[in-house]
Amino acid sequence: MLENIKNNTIVICNSNYKMQLLKSIKKLINIKFMSMDEFIKSYYFDYDEKTILHLIKKYNMKYEVALEYLTNLIYVEDKNYNNDKLDFLVNLKKELIDNNLLIINNKFKSYISDKDIIIYNYSLSKFEKHLLKDINYNVIEKESNNYKPIIYEFTTMEEEIEYVARKISELINNGVDINNIKLTNVSNDYINLLTKIFNFYNLKINKFNNIPIISTVIGKTFYENLSSLEKGIESIEKYNTTDTYNKIVSMCNKYVWCSDINDLKILLEYDLKHTFIENNKYTNMIEVVDYKNYDFNDEYVFMLGFNQGIIPKIFKDEDYISDNIKPDYLDTVVEKNKQEKEEVIKSIKNIKNLTITYKLKNSFSTFYPSNLIDELDSNVERVELDYKVSYSEISDKITLTNMLDELIKFGKIDNNLDLLNSNYDIPYNTYSHSFTGLSKTKLKNYINNLRSFNLSYSSMDNYNRCAFRFYIDKILCLKDNIDMFSVTLGNIYHDVLEKAVKSDIDVREEVYKYISDNDIKLTNSNKFFVERTIKNIEYLIEVLKKQEKFSNLKNIETEKFVKIPIKDNINFVGFIDKIVYNTINDITIAAIIDYKTYVKKPSLKYIDSGIGLQLPTYMYLSENSFKNIRFAGFYLQNITLDNKSDDEKEKSLKLIGFTNTDKKILKEFDSNYMDSSVIDGIKIKNDGSFSSNSLKHMLNGNEINEIINVTKDKINETINNVLESKFDINPKYDKVNLGCEFCKYKDLCFMKEYDFVNIKANSKFGGEEDE
């Protein structure tokens, strides 16, 4: 073929063969390479994002469904099939042509008329032969061989991968270049275990699991800020030297014609999910290749997972155009499976140094050998791993541990047990649950690679209750997906109350709008709680309006987000439920209110330990948002009225917390503080002074400032401890276990009594929790 190839030739082949063919051609001639898909789209028609958007909007299709229809358009001709599915495709094609939404290259047929067309090493389907029936072309097959591969059977996937790792190590030890060793047929269920075991042998694999852009920090940032193309690009400008940034910009350039931001988000969301960060290919690493489309020579190839259902691929009758309505020029499922089987056998027999392996089970399933084994006329050998030569000490030790488990639990003695046991001294059946440490350099790199690392009250509270709890939650991010309707109800309270502050609202309408906007499905039980919540919120708004009449602090902000940069890409952040304030003579008087569905009397007794500082952190955040701020108080407010009588309801909505002893400041917040219906627990004696019980929850200005300063110190101390990688298991204890309270990770730490760190309550600032 290469010796006789002429000028002006079109070669249709897989892209993997292009460079190999170019290297083999020894003369300077004009050749165009195309894939079969490119050729057919040029010869018939293609479509683009405008076509897809048309279907999405007109027929209310999802992006993937629109693609399914467009993919099937090529299969129908301009005629009546007397079948709804096929006739819909015919009419859809006409509609798209009439609206100039199919890309038709009218010059392509003229362009190829004087050219030789060669289809190289490609098995044409019946449909492709039908499409190309009016074209003169030559099919040239790659020279075929009839190599007989070696096939090995293993009980488990672990044994299979372990064997492959040992054989590769043996090849390298015998002088084989690692770049001349390939893996193939690596399905997704092999990836994690393959990477793990190969690491034991210091074998690195050129990564084969590319990452979608939407999963990256850059991709998420771009999409979250996509109020316009300009805003989206602007939000990721600091990443403009990266390949990901360039890919996103290229995507955006496709959509300069699209002015509707909602349409734009639909199109870009699909692109971001289906455009990948391609992992760089390095030398001196084992490459994973496609055995059907790789030009093998003398490479050593390991084909894993040679199991039924995996190889050959089994096609099922589940296409849009099913077998019972397929025109005679389309391949049936039987024909597809036959062709697939022939292609696989041909490809396998063309690989000279091929080792095939399969497993009989993994942790979850049982498997069967591929039915191609008989077709390949190869013997299957059952292999026992030989540990006389070691290629990985860590793997051998893990194997020894497994053998000892088998001996102790089931009395089974492995043939290699004595050999391994005499070579390795392992701390078998011992365990330490202590945190073994995390490199400060790795932690710093992890934080620096994030867009930002945010510390909030809750994460700081977690750290100071138990550093390991913080590590699991914030560093490893092993968070549970909480799907409790009580959380939804809490979110509804916050959303509706925020709107109620700004204007008069219809509570029922806003509640059900929130439910609709967040696509929340209600059970009959949920509907009952929603209706009760509506009544509670309506009553709550009435009481809040009454309380506001006693206050001169008429400025109100709700769900106020504050972000304070601290150090090393770390910020302290928080949402303040409600802050009311007024500025008088350059001094801002404010009160902080945090809504709670369950209220315990707030306490500052663990302030020195950095525990329970939600309200103080809100003062710290507010102090960084307002100049010359003075706090009239900081409070919790109960917002649930369930199981309360009418007499109890309004009283239960009084604010619970800490109040400034300065009567001038207090009066701005509650003009009727002497007989307050707003703040709970204030009592005035006959001489006009506060009662001793009231003073337990009252602070002067200096004490409030001291609390803010201590809180700031605790924030900095916590951040410094995090940066020093201090994540020991150290739950705090004072009469009760404070560290493990409500902790979701008890099954991970195996905490012992000696891990407790005893702390003492500091009653300096007053306040006592309900016990």
Side-chain angles (χ1 to χ4, degrees), residues 25-37:
I25 297 172
K26 306 300 182 184
K27 51 188 175 181
L28 188 63
I29 54 177
N30 182 20
I31 300 176
K32 182 175 181 63
F33 286 89
M34 301 182 77
S35 69
M36 181 59 70
D37 188 53

Side-chain angles (χ1 to χ4, degrees), residues 498-719:
E498 180 183 4
K499 292 173 181 175
V501 167
K502 299 173 183 176
S503 61
D504 292 332
I505 61 169
D506 184 317
V507 173
R508 176 176 295 278
E509 180 180 318
E510 293 299 334
V511 167
Y512 280 100
K513 182 177 185 302
Y514 179 91
I515 291 169
S516 174
D517 290 347
N518 290 276
D519 196 26
I520 298 168
K521 308 301 180 188
L522 297 178
T523 64
N524 289 332
S525 173
N526 294 157
K527 289 176 184 177
F528 168 80
F529 288 108
V530 167
E531 289 299 320
R532 192 165 73 175
T533 296
I534 291 170
K535 292 179 181 178
N536 285 347
I537 294 177
E538 288 172 340
Y539 182 85
L540 178 59
I541 291 172
E542 287 181 21
V543 175
L544 291 179
K545 287 181 177 179
K546 287 181 184 179
Q547 292 178 349
E548 288 169 10
K549 291 178 181 179
F550 295 104
S551 176
N552 294 324
L553 309 182
K554 299 300 183 183
N555 300 306
I556 303 174
E557 290 193 41
T558 57
E559 296 296 317
K560 181 177 176 60
F561 177 71
V562 184
K563 178 178 179 179
I564 302 173
I566 307 294
K567 64 184 295 186
D568 293 348
N569 201 35
I570 298 180
N571 310 295
F572 191 82
V573 301
F575 282 92
I576 304 172
D577 281 356
K578 183 176 180 181
I579 180 168
V580 296
Y581 64 95
N582 191 26
T583 302
I584 305 169
N585 298 326
D586 293 330
I587 295 177
T588 298
I589 298 175
I592 289 172
I593 300 165
D594 188 66
Y595 299 132
K596 292 292 182 188
T597 55
Y598 171 69
V599 174
K600 293 172 73 174
K601 290 181 181 179
S603 169
L604 298 175
K605 64 181 179 179
Y606 295 119
I607 186 170
D608 289 341
S609 299
I611 294 173
L613 301 186
Q614 183 172 20
L615 292 173
T617 59
Y618 290 166
M619 286 199 294
Y620 166 71
L621 292 169
S622 300
E623 192 179 58
N624 282 269
S625 302
F626 298 93
K627 294 181 178 178
N628 298 326
I629 192 169
R630 304 287 186 273
F631 293 98
F634 45 103
Y635 307 97
L636 303 177
Q637 184 165 38
N638 173 46
I639 57 172
T640 54
L641 305 170
D642 302 335
N643 304 316
K644 291 184 176 67
S645 66
D646 291 341
D647 293 336
E648 293 174 322
K649 282 183 179 180
E650 188 163 348
K651 183 179 179 182
S652 72
L653 292 175
K654 283 188 174 185
L655 303 177
I656 302 171
F658 295 87
T659 302
N660 198 322
T661 57
D662 188 322
K663 294 178 181 178
K664 289 183 179 179
I665 292 177
L666 176 56
K667 191 172 183 179
E668 292 296 320
F669 176 54
D670 183 5
S671 60
N672 194 35
Y673 70 86
M674 297 184 70
D675 186 22
S676 182
S677 58
V678 178
I679 304 170
D680 184 63
I682 293 183
K683 301 291 182 184
I684 304 295
K685 295 193 293 188
N686 292 334
D687 62 1
S689 62
F690 294 109
S691 70
S692 57
N693 283 332
S694 299
L695 290 172
K696 289 181 179 179
H697 291 277
M698 301 191 77
L699 303 161
N700 61 43
N702 290 332
E703 288 173 322
I704 291 174
N705 289 334
E706 187 178 349
I707 288 169
I708 296 171
N709 289 331
V710 171
T711 301
K712 182 178 179 181
D713 290 341
K714 289 299 162 186
I715 290 171
N716 287 320
E717 179 184 309
T718 301
I719 289 173

